[in-house]
Each structure stands twice: as structure tokens, then as C-alpha cells.
Amino acid sequence: MKTANMMEETRKSKQQGHPDEKETLDGARGADTDGIHIHSIRLPGLVAHQEVLFGGPGQTLSIKHDSYNRASFMEGVKLSVNKVMELNKLVYGLENILE
């Protein structure tokens, strides 16, 4: 959701898909936030997976990140724990405390 919210801030609202397409199974096209379709996948052994797909006629661009172990988050946790002692307000998002 954080990625979709950040995308909403920087792009014009646009509905995805063909205007006449039909969804015969509710939710099959994923959640919709401002025209961005979002799908959630839960699999054993996959701690976090995020992929953002951009497309145009005859092409796609994929930006992907996978975490297979929670250790991949520990540097950010450590940074946040140390930084929180310097803050006097609520901060949401690691990107807001990186220097």
C-alpha cells in the first residue's frame, strides 16, 4: 500500500485495463486504488515480495524486490531504534529518517 500511495502522489489518475473488460470473479483483478491494481501473494519461505510493473505497447518494465529472511530488515530496524531517540514527532516511513 505504501508504494501505491507514493505512486498516487506522483502520477495522474488513470484507470487500468480495457474500459469494457468484465471481472467475472470479484477481486480477480486485485484491489484498486486510484486505478492501480494491487495483488497480494502469501507463500511459504517468501517473507516479502514486491514487484511494480509498468507497461506500454509491446513492452514492460519490472522493478522487483524479494526478502527470503527477516535478517534483511535488521539494518533498517537498527537505524530506526537509534534514530527514534532524536525525534520529537511521529515519523512514518524509513525513507523519512535516512540521511
Side-chain angles (χ1 to χ4, degrees):
M1 285 302 304
K2 177 74 171 165
T3 301
N5 292 338
M6 291 170 68
M7 290 171 67
E8 282 180 42
E9 292 173 8
T10 60
R11 78 178 188 89
K12 295 177 184 174
S13 183
K14 181 180 178 183
Q15 201 60 36
Q16 290 181 321
H18 190 276
D20 296 329
E21 74 181 10
K22 294 184 179 8
E23 183 178 56
T24 56
L25 179 61
D26 286 342
R29 299 271 182 198
D32 185 304
T33 178
D34 196 37
I36 300 171
H37 290 275
I38 300 173
H39 302 273
S40 179
I41 299 170
R42 302 289 186 262
L43 294 172
L46 192 58
V47 174
H49 165 85
Q50 181 169 345
E51 185 172 14
V52 178
L53 297 169
F54 300 94
Q59 62 182 338
T60 60
L61 169 65
S62 173
I63 301 172
K64 180 178 172 180
H65 174 259
D66 290 311
S67 290
Y68 303 103
N69 186 303
R70 295 193 191 289
S72 63
F73 300 106
M74 291 305 111
E75 286 300 315
V77 170
K78 181 181 173 185
L79 174 75
S80 299
V81 167
N82 291 330
K83 184 71 175 180
V84 74
M85 299 307 291
E86 302 170 16
L87 300 173
N88 60 4
K89 62 181 179 179
L90 177 65
V91 175
Y92 176 69
L94 185 61
E95 72 277 8
N96 294 309
I97 63 169
L98 292 174
E99 295 177 355

